[in-house]
Amino acid sequence: MKKLVSTLLSLVFAAGLGTAALAAGDSEHHKKPEEQKWSFSGPFGMYDKAQLQRGLKVYIEACAACHSLDRIAFRNFEALGYSEEQVKSLAAEYEVTDGPNEEGEMFERPAIPADYFPNPFPNPEAAAYANNGAAPPDFSLIAKARGSIRGFPQFVIDIFTMYAEGGPDYIHALLTGYEEPPEGVEVTEGTYYNPYFLNGISLAMPPPLDDELVTYDDGTPETVDQYSRDVSAFLMWAAEPKLETRKSLGFKVIIFILIFSGLLYLSKKSVWSRVEH
């Protein structure tokens, strides 16, 4: 037992050194994303469907021209609170490639709910060519694939607090973090300074959001910060649409384990109470 504990402590210590080393290697101009408050945070967190609908609107109007959403079908949007008719109407606004037809030719047709969100580019090469050699990443899993290293001992604390919002925190920080480079800092021509970018201090994507860029029908403030929060929440849903189900099931499992453990303990006491010690 002592050997097992010692091994676990060694692994934790080694992980801490590794993350500390990575942090130490970061540029002095990099910034860590601030932890934001999300409706889906914590063991009982739930998605705010109104926010997800706003986030979808921001994605369509500000992001979809460059970034794909390959793993999301139109019918999935019913989970955001849209009716079947609304989903059909939204899908019909897009054209998808289908076929071959009787003549062996591919053809274009209006999308239906079963279709996946169309990619803005026919292939990665075309995407890269249209964006100065840097193909925009797909957004389907971006909220789970991105996130800064929080280091030791924070990552240990995150295990107990069930922190899993590193992706949305990072996306929000990146979208709101564009600024002029500090004095003495030079960025590559055609790129834009952003101290929150994980892979450098500048990126090829220009600031995609401006105040009043997207019109909200529910009176929500039309600011860059609000747009960033909404689209970050939407991308978290896209990456983990079953989050609410997972948390609900996990809570039930924990309750079951606690009750079962209590019954086992009472059974053990009952059995051993009749045995002379």
Side-chain angles (χ1 to χ4, degrees):
M1 185 66 181
K2 289 183 178 180
K3 185 176 181 180
L4 176 61
V5 173
S6 177
T7 302
L8 290 173
L9 290 175
S10 298
L11 289 173
V12 171
F13 181 67
L17 288 179
T19 52
L22 285 171
D26 287 346
S27 166
E28 60 179 322
H29 299 292
H30 275 113
K31 296 180 181 179
K32 296 286 186 180
E34 294 183 8
E35 189 171 339
Q36 304 295 320
K37 292 183 179 179
W38 304 101
S39 65
F40 48 84
S41 297
F44 305 106
M46 306 286 280
Y47 287 124
D48 179 346
K49 290 185 178 180
Q51 183 178 46
L52 297 184
Q53 291 185 9
R54 295 194 302 268
L56 172 60
K57 191 170 187 179
V58 174
Y59 166 75
I60 290 174
E61 297 188 23
C63 309
C66 296
H67 295 276
S68 57
L69 204 63
D70 291 340
R71 296 176 182 269
I72 301 298
F74 288 103
R75 63 187 175 204
N76 297 138
F77 294 143
E78 290 187 30
L80 306 188
Y82 292 109
S83 67
E84 184 177 351
E85 291 303 317
Q86 287 176 312
V87 170
K88 287 181 179 179
S89 177
L90 173 62
E93 296 177 7
Y94 294 85
E95 294 282 326
V96 297
T97 303
D98 201 351
N101 57 18
E102 294 178 353
E103 300 175 354
E105 300 290 339
M106 304 300 288
F107 60 93
E108 299 291 318
R109 62 164 175 79
I112 59 176
D115 289 317
Y116 284 80
F117 210 92
N119 195 307
F121 301 101
N123 52 64
E125 289 73 19
Y129 181 78
N131 291 276
N132 298 320
D138 177 68
F139 270 1
S140 302
L141 301 175
I142 197 77
K144 301 294 286 186
R146 297 290 190 272
S148 61
I149 296 171
R150 287 163 69 87
F152 181 82
Q154 185 61 52
F155 81 93
V156 178
I157 299 173
D158 290 345
I159 294 174
F160 294 97
T161 60
M162 299 185 181
Y163 173 78
E165 294 77 51
D169 286 345
Y170 170 69
I171 295 170
H172 174 267
L174 185 72
L175 292 175
T176 58
Y178 286 92
E179 57 187 57
E180 291 297 320
E183 186 177 352
V185 175
E186 295 185 3
V187 299
T188 305
E189 185 177 356
T191 64
Y192 302 84
Y193 180 76
N194 193 317
Y196 294 100
F197 185 47
L198 287 174
N199 297 327
I201 58 172
S202 64
L203 68 164
M205 181 178 71
L209 301 174
D210 287 305
D211 290 347
E212 301 182 356
L213 176 68
V214 179
T215 301
Y216 283 157
D217 300 324
D218 59 0
T220 301
E222 298 170 0
T223 63
V224 170
D225 180 73
Q226 188 64 50
Y227 293 150
S228 301
R229 291 180 186 279
D230 294 342
V231 77
S232 297
F234 168 73
L235 293 177
M236 182 64 178
W237 168 83
E240 195 171 1
K242 300 298 184 182
L243 175 142
E244 295 177 343
T245 302
R246 173 176 62 79
K247 290 185 177 183
S248 176
L249 179 60
F251 178 72
K252 293 174 183 176
V253 169
I254 290 174
I255 295 298
F256 170 79
I257 290 175
L258 291 175
I259 295 174
F260 185 64
S261 298
L263 292 175
L264 283 179
Y265 175 74
L266 294 175
S267 298
K268 177 257 184 186
K269 287 197 68 175
S270 176
V271 170
W272 285 93
S273 67
R274 297 190 295 269
V275 177
E276 294 184 6
H277 297 281

